[in-house]
Amino acid sequence: MREAFFAGGCFWCVTPIYKMYGVDKVICGYAGGDEVNPTYEQVKHQETGHRETIKLVYDPEKVSYDRLLDIYFANVDPFDSEGQFIDKGFSYTLAIFYNTDEEKEMAKAKIAKIESESGKKVQVELLPYKNFYEAEEYHQDYYLKNPEAFEKELIESGRKKR
C-alpha cells in the first residue's frame, strides 16, 4: 500500500471521488503547517499554515499515482490561487505533497501539460511531504454521515450544478 496527499480545497467535497476509483482509504486532515495537531477551527481561520488535505491509502496495482493525479486535476480549479469555489483562504489553496522524486516529476508533467493546453498558469504548489494530521472524526466520511448536508455543500460551493 502507498499513500498520497492532496490539498484540493474543502476535504469533504473531494473525499468520495477517490473511493469511486479504487482508493482503499481517504482520510481528511491537515498538512504542511508547523502547528502540531491543529484543529479544524484553527486551520479554517488560517492560523496554522496547514491546508485541508486528504490522505489517500491505495494499492498501486489497482490505481496508479498517475491516475490519482488525473482525478485530482479533474476535480479542482487548478487556476484559482485564492482557494476553491466558495472556500477562500490559504487553507483551501491547492497543493500536492509528494513523497518521492518520481511523484514530483509526474505532478510537474501534469501541470506542464495543463498549462500548455490552457495557456494559463496552474496554481498548485508541489511540496515535499512534511506532515499530516487527521481531522476530527466528524469530518471523516462526511458524505456518508450527512448526505443531505453534503449535497447542499456541493451545490452551494459551486462544485456541483443543480
Side-chain angles (χ1 to χ4, degrees):
M1 299 300 272
R2 298 190 69 186
E3 296 178 347
F5 300 87
F6 298 141
C10 172
F11 47 37
W12 291 347
C13 295
V14 293
T15 299
I17 297 155
Y18 291 95
K19 293 223 177 165
M20 292 172 23
Y21 288 95
V23 171
D24 291 304
K25 277 178 105 175
V26 182
I27 302 164
C28 292
Y30 318 109
D34 293 323
E35 181 82 19
V36 176
N37 293 318
T39 67
Y40 176 69
E41 289 301 316
Q42 289 175 311
V43 174
K44 180 179 177 179
H45 291 102
Q46 320 302 321
E47 296 172 0
T48 66
H50 291 84
R51 289 177 167 99
E52 286 196 14
T53 301
I54 55 172
K55 173 182 175 179
L56 307 175
V57 179
Y58 69 100
D59 179 347
E61 297 296 317
K62 289 188 207 172
V63 60
S64 68
Y65 188 78
D66 187 65
R67 180 70 176 128
L68 296 177
L69 288 170
D70 287 340
I71 296 164
Y72 175 76
F73 283 110
N75 287 282
V76 298
D77 176 357
F79 309 113
D80 188 343
S81 64
E82 302 296 318
Q84 289 293 287
F85 303 91
I86 64 167
D87 295 313
K88 300 300 180 188
F90 179 81
S91 63
Y92 298 107
T93 58
L94 302 177
I96 296 170
F97 298 97
Y98 59 87
N99 290 303
T100 67
D101 288 339
E102 180 183 17
E103 289 177 356
K104 179 182 179 182
E105 293 308 312
M106 291 170 78
K108 281 173 72 173
K110 295 281 183 194
I111 290 170
K113 182 177 184 211
I114 293 167
E115 289 180 340
S116 173
E117 291 174 354
S118 69
K120 297 179 186 177
K121 174 85 172 117
V122 168
Q123 302 295 321
V124 177
E125 279 198 79
L126 296 181
L127 300 167
Y129 174 78
K130 175 179 171 177
N131 57 30
F132 179 83
Y133 299 97
E134 283 191 30
E136 297 81 354
E137 180 56 36
Y138 72 95
H139 294 296
Q140 308 305 330
D141 295 320
Y142 185 83
Y143 70 104
L144 294 173
K145 295 174 185 172
N146 303 284
E148 293 86 16
F150 174 71
E151 183 75 11
K152 184 177 180 206
E153 173 78 18
L154 287 179
I155 292 168
E156 289 179 356
S157 74
R159 285 184 184 260
K160 180 178 179 181
K161 305 296 179 219
R162 291 181 190 258

